[in-house]
Amino acid sequence: GAGVSQSPSNKVTEKGKDVELRCDPISGHTALYWYRQSLGQGLEFLIYFQGNSAPDKSGLPSDRFSAERTGGSVSTLTIQRTQQEDSAVYLCASSPGRGSYEQYFGPGTRLTVT
Amino acid sequence: LAKTTQPISMDSYEGQEVNITCSHNNIATNDYITWYQQFPSQGPRFIIQGYKTKVTNEVASLFIPADRKSSTLSLPRVSLSDTAVYYCLVLLYGGSQGNLIFGKGTKLSVKP
């Protein structure tokens, strides 16, 4: 079946511009996660959605970052006024929900801020 | 969340068995141990999970001693395609698990 998909696969933007990154989770998965990974580093948690519960935003690095999940499915991560330090691969993952330890990751969006 | 410690890198040769050990000294009673694999330019992929003793699947084995303060991922007869970063995580099973800490993982390089 279809896995997690993300778009765009690559995004180059100028410093100060806003960007939107999209994630389509696996159908039926109630949990959705956003991470970012800088070159040679581990994954940094950003935000977590579980069903209709309030999202866990504890990993968002600044108020320039926000995310929403519409209809319990597709999610959009928005970065406003991008900075060069925002350059990274942004990974989305979904899982069946509470009690599931297995996350299914998408291929990521490589963001480059010039 | 239990913090994990694992070697930054390991080298091996094709056909050898590779064992990667992860320390998680403050693991809690309801925590499970999970390992992910990440190839370059791809998202991580779940490979194995366990609570105690030994778990084996088609990809790897996971050994967990009685005190559960460490675990060892065993990859039998590695090939070049096993070159990847391996992450050890400790997860609370049955509850909301949002803030997962992947850390930098162990970079395994398999040589011919």
Side-chain angles (χ1 to χ4, degrees):
Chain A
V4 177
S5 61
Q6 293 185 243
S7 61
S9 56
N10 282 283
K11 176 71 176 178
V12 180
T13 188
E14 293 180 351
K15 177 181 174 181
K17 300 285 189 182
D18 297 351
V19 295
E20 286 189 351
L21 312 179
R22 177 186 169 106
C23 172
D24 285 83
I26 293 173
S27 178
H29 280 192
T30 60
L32 186 147
Y33 310 76
W34 283 98
Y35 299 86
R36 73 177 175 181
Q37 187 171 34
S38 301
L39 187 64
Q41 301 297 310
L43 277 72
E44 176 187 3
F45 166 80
L46 297 177
I47 189 168
Y48 161 59
F49 297 89
Q50 171 57 58
N52 296 320
S53 302
D56 177 355
K57 304 179 181 180
S58 59
L60 294 178
S62 77
D63 58 7
R64 295 186 296 106
F65 289 73
S66 63
E68 63 177 20
R69 189 179 185 192
T70 55
S73 181
V74 172
S75 177
T76 302
L77 176 69
T78 301
I79 308 173
Q80 295 178 313
R81 305 181 302 280
T82 53
Q83 304 294 313
Q84 288 186 331
E85 60 263 29
D86 298 334
S87 295
V89 175
Y90 288 81
L91 290 158
C92 174
S94 70
S95 80
R98 291 188 187 277
S100 174
Y101 47 78
E102 185 171 351
Q103 295 187 16
Y104 298 80
F105 282 80
T109 293
R110 180 175 297 279
L111 174 66
T112 303
V113 181
T114 60
Chain B
L1 295 173
K3 180 180 178 180
T4 61
T5 303
Q6 52 185 124
I8 294 174
S9 63
M10 293 183 69
D11 291 332
S12 182
Y13 291 93
E14 282 191 293
Q16 289 187 332
E17 178 185 78
V18 171
N19 297 308
I20 305 174
T21 296
C22 178
S23 298
H24 26 79
N25 291 320
N26 60 341
I27 190 170
T29 301
N30 293 330
D31 287 340
Y32 278 65
I33 300 151
T34 305
W35 286 78
Y36 280 77
Q37 173 191 56
Q38 185 177 26
F39 297 114
S41 302
Q42 294 186 25
R45 179 177 74 106
F46 169 86
I47 48 175
I48 200 166
Q49 177 258 1
Y51 183 80
K52 62 180 179 181
T53 63
K54 177 183 175 182
V55 179
T56 297
N57 62 22
E58 65 278 6
V59 177
S61 293
L62 179 61
F63 298 91
I64 305 168
D67 66 5
R68 305 200 326 121
K69 293 184 181 299
S70 66
S71 60
T72 299
L73 175 73
S74 181
L75 305 172
R77 299 177 297 282
V78 295
S79 64
L80 296 177
S81 62
D82 291 316
T83 293
V85 178
Y86 293 82
Y87 297 96
C88 166
L89 292 86
V90 173
L91 307 180
L92 175 62
Y93 187 80
S96 175
Q97 189 73 57
N99 192 350
L100 297 186
I101 301 174
F102 274 76
K104 295 186 179 181
T106 297
K107 184 176 182 180
L108 173 65
S109 298
V110 180
K111 304 174 182 178

